[in-house]
Amino acid sequence: MFKGLGDMGDLSKMMEAAQQMQTKMAEMQDGLTRLSVTGEAGGGLVKATATAKGELTALDIDPSIFRSEDKEVVEDLILAAIKNAQRRATDKAAEEMARLTREMGLPADLKMPF
């Protein structure tokens, strides 16, 4: 393509690869907003749903746990479900990043700034 330019042809290939990677990263980040995970606590009595980016989108609480004497337990279960959903979101994002780096032939341990 760039005959006679020596290593400049390689630079062109590197720039093209970097642009492709940037596009794929943007697509992956956008995709994380559409993926959802659900965290549970209390054997499923409290469920928190979040995007793979960690944004809480829903909270489901079984009505059987609404007793005034159990207020602190319910609050703890809600927090536990939210934390579980956030952890799963982080794990899902890491899985997607690993998949993307694998598809692009990048080292598995490459740390991206996201």
Side-chain angles (χ1 to χ4, degrees), residues 2-17:
F2 294 106
K3 291 182 181 181
L5 295 178
D7 291 335
M8 291 300 287
D10 290 340
L11 180 60
S12 174
K13 288 179 186 178
M14 284 177 35
M15 293 299 291
E16 185 178 324

Side-chain angles (χ1 to χ4, degrees), residues 9-82:
D10 290 340
L11 180 60
S12 174
K13 288 179 186 178
M14 284 177 35
M15 293 299 291
E16 185 178 324
Q19 287 176 335
Q20 287 177 351
M21 185 168 116
Q22 185 178 18
T23 299
K24 289 185 182 222
M25 292 296 292
E27 290 171 357
M28 185 206 62
Q29 290 291 319
D30 185 52
L32 292 178
T33 62
R34 291 188 302 273
L35 290 174
S36 78
V37 295
T38 301
E40 298 182 2
L45 293 174
V46 177
K47 297 176 184 173
T49 303
T51 68
K53 288 194 85 155
E55 179 184 336
L56 188 64
T57 58
L59 188 61
D60 180 40
I61 303 170
D62 189 295
S64 69
I65 65 173
F66 289 113
R67 295 189 324 213
S68 60
E69 63 271 12
D70 294 332
K71 179 182 180 295
E72 288 182 17
V73 172
V74 171
E75 291 170 345
D76 289 343
L77 289 175
I78 291 170
L79 286 174
I82 291 170

